[in-house]
Amino acid sequence: MSPEQSRVRRTGRRPAWVAAAVAVSAVLAVAVPVQAADDPSEASPAPAAPSVPSAPGPSPAPSSGASPQPPAAPAFGAYLDYGPRGVARMAELSDWLGGTRLRVGHTYLPGDRWSNIEGAPGFLDVWADWRKGRADRMLVLNVPMLERNEEGLDDDEVRELLRRGAAGDFDHHFRHLAERLVALGVPDTVLVLGWEMNGTTYTHRCGPDPEAWKAYWNRIVTAVRAVPGQRFRFDFAPSRGRDAVPWTDCYPGDDTVDIIGMDAYDQPRGMPFEEQVSEPYGLQAHVDFARAHGKPVSYPEWGLFRNGDNAVYMRRMLAWMEEHGALYNTLTDYCPHGVWQCGDNPRAAEAYRSVLSGRADAGPAEPQRPTAPEPSAPAPREEPPAGCSPLDLDDWIEQWLGGKLCLRPDWWSRTR
């Protein structure tokens, strides 16, 4: 599609945790932590037996008198928030779906500066903990290729940055990220590198110099794969349609791409689903291209948009992803795109819920390491120390800090 038809910039995922952390650090100097009682993520029953990616086969016939089991759900999740609140909300969305388990967690690294693209200390910990809770879970992490990623840099500056990246100037940032993820115990994270490169929204766009962009992608993948212990997979994920440039012009090659994804929203206005399938560089072109290159498909971002509360789109898109054996998909679940966290789309929400509610656990996308030991029962909630008043902070701050804080009444005394 043309650049004018590309969706408005989404603001719900851009992290503001750095500023919050600075504010909280001032409180830490005078506050005493109180242990939190509950883990924000869902309980972790024993995982299903590992299996290789394939279309699910028929279920065994039930024994006499047994009710047929609902079909297994493909690996799916939703983008619910970039930080600890996103992890906590996965359990809530699962409850809304009648217990269907979300196997995919999805978050984004901030693209404001290199230190955040490297994975700032503390930012990824809660996601790593969630991923390690079950063997069949998948962590999907969007990784910007350049800092100042949403600052509207002009093509000349982007071109120069891409060429510097292709020359290896930024390799060390991605090595640091890989080392951090390995140290956190999530060396199998799916890295959605330089997403929507065929558009104009991001500094890491391909259009100003496709050859430099492809060379830079290959440099990053080479640098990351050199880190001991890594088992990362790289997802090449353009936006649906032509956008600013054909996304096929940006494809860096089969050796450095593991998954061919697509960010697919219900747009432009008035375009029916059939045309989203058949348009140049659309849904059909995506699956055909992936098949020709021997790669699985994915949908890291998808959801409603220009056509409003469109239940037909919701059902058709869910069926499309299942029909074509998507390795995973994650709905962008905030307004205007989402269904659970967005009250503007009740008909689409009911369609999403009716398809996925009560689905049985699916097997893992591929063999995984054994499940971590089951966590012990949470300790009873601790009472604040005598003379210490609890602070009422947002739940995401308490989750990030690892518990509640309380303030001693004499903290301002100059005579302490």
Side-chain angles (χ1 to χ4, degrees):
M1 68 197 70
S2 66
E4 309 88 70
Q5 293 172 329
S6 63
R7 64 185 173 280
V8 294
R9 182 171 298 171
R10 296 178 297 283
T11 58
R13 70 174 179 237
R14 191 166 186 182
W17 68 275
V18 177
V22 172
V24 171
S25 66
V27 179
L28 286 173
V30 295
V32 179
V34 177
Q35 179 71 31
D38 300 314
D39 185 342
S41 61
E42 70 269 36
S44 302
S51 62
V52 295
S54 63
S59 300
S63 59
S64 176
S67 300
Q69 293 298 310
F76 79 98
Y79 172 71
L80 301 167
D81 188 81
Y82 60 87
R85 183 169 288 181
V87 175
R89 287 173 178 168
M90 281 191 281
E92 299 171 35
L93 178 55
S94 176
D95 289 344
W96 183 72
L97 291 172
T100 301
R101 196 164 55 81
L102 278 65
R103 289 180 39 226
V104 186
H106 187 189
T107 191
Y108 296 74
L109 288 172
D112 52 349
R113 56 181 181 266
W114 283 118
S115 60
N116 286 329
I117 295 173
E118 292 177 1
F123 180 69
L124 291 169
D125 298 52
V126 67
W127 291 99
D129 290 344
W130 173 84
R131 164 63 188 90
K132 292 181 290 185
R134 290 186 64 124
D136 63 351
R137 288 176 177 168
M138 181 187 303
L139 176 60
V140 175
L141 178 64
N142 277 49
V143 180
M145 292 171 68
L146 291 166
E147 67 175 352
R148 297 182 292 159
N149 200 37
E150 295 187 46
E151 293 187 13
L153 305 188
D154 63 34
D155 282 357
D156 288 340
E157 189 167 3
V158 169
R159 187 178 299 109
E160 175 60 25
L161 289 169
L162 291 175
R163 291 174 180 175
R164 287 182 59 195
D169 287 4
F170 309 131
D171 287 5
H172 59 288
H173 298 300
F174 298 97
R175 281 197 301 270
H176 291 161
L177 171 62
E179 290 164 354
R180 191 176 303 281
L181 289 167
V182 170
L184 287 171
V186 285
D188 56 354
T189 300
V190 174
L191 304 179
V192 186
L193 182 63
W195 69 99
E196 298 182 14
M197 77 300 294
N198 56 324
T200 59
T201 300
Y202 300 110
T203 300
H204 66 214
R205 61 190 182 270
C206 169
D209 192 335
E211 294 306 314
W213 192 93
K214 290 184 284 188
Y216 182 27
W217 168 289
N218 290 331
R219 289 283 318 204
I220 294 170
V221 174
T222 300
V224 168
R225 285 181 175 169
V227 172
Q230 69 81 32
R231 293 185 284 119
F232 302 111
R233 286 178 290 178
F234 290 86
D235 193 334
F236 171 83
S239 56
R240 199 201 78 234
R242 187 183 190 280
D243 216 323
V245 295
W247 52 261
T248 52
D249 290 355
C250 308
Y251 186 67
D254 292 345
D255 289 345
T256 57
V257 172
D258 301 295
I259 306 161
I260 297 179
M262 178 163 279
D263 288 359
Y265 290 87
D266 185 21
Q267 64 165 355
R269 192 178 306 279
M271 179 180 278
F273 187 79
E274 292 80 1
E275 191 173 344
Q276 297 178 31
V277 170
S278 63
E279 68 171 329
Y281 308 102
L283 293 172
Q284 187 64 55
H286 169 230
V287 297
D288 289 346
F289 186 88
R291 185 180 300 114
H293 290 264
K295 308 293 182 182
V297 298
S298 72
Y299 299 88
E301 290 187 30
W302 71 279
L304 306 165
F305 194 27
R306 303 286 187 190
N307 296 305
D309 184 14
N310 188 347
V312 172
Y313 165 84
M314 183 60 61
R315 290 185 181 278
R316 295 290 300 275
M317 191 66 188
L318 286 166
W320 177 269
M321 293 184 293
E322 186 156 358
E323 175 188 354
H324 294 283
L327 182 66
Y328 72 90
N329 76 78
T330 45
L331 177 74
T332 301
D333 195 63
Y334 56 80
C335 287
H337 312 302
V339 293
W340 178 59
Q341 295 187 118
C342 182
D344 296 345
N345 302 313
R347 291 187 296 274
E350 181 54 34
Y352 183 86
R353 193 178 187 186
S354 68
V355 171
L356 295 177
S357 186
R359 300 286 287 265
D361 281 353
E366 64 180 32
Q368 302 279 353
R369 62 180 179 271
T371 308
E374 294 290 329
S376 58
R381 187 180 301 275
E382 295 183 8
E383 295 299 324
C388 191
S389 301
L391 296 178
D392 186 15
L393 301 174
D394 282 351
D395 57 354
W396 75 269
I397 296 177
E398 292 173 356
Q399 292 163 7
W400 180 73
L401 291 171
K404 287 186 174 295
L405 297 177
C406 65
L407 192 66
R408 298 186 184 281
D410 61 348
W411 73 274
W412 189 242
S413 171
R414 296 179 182 273
T415 61
R416 284 188 299 155

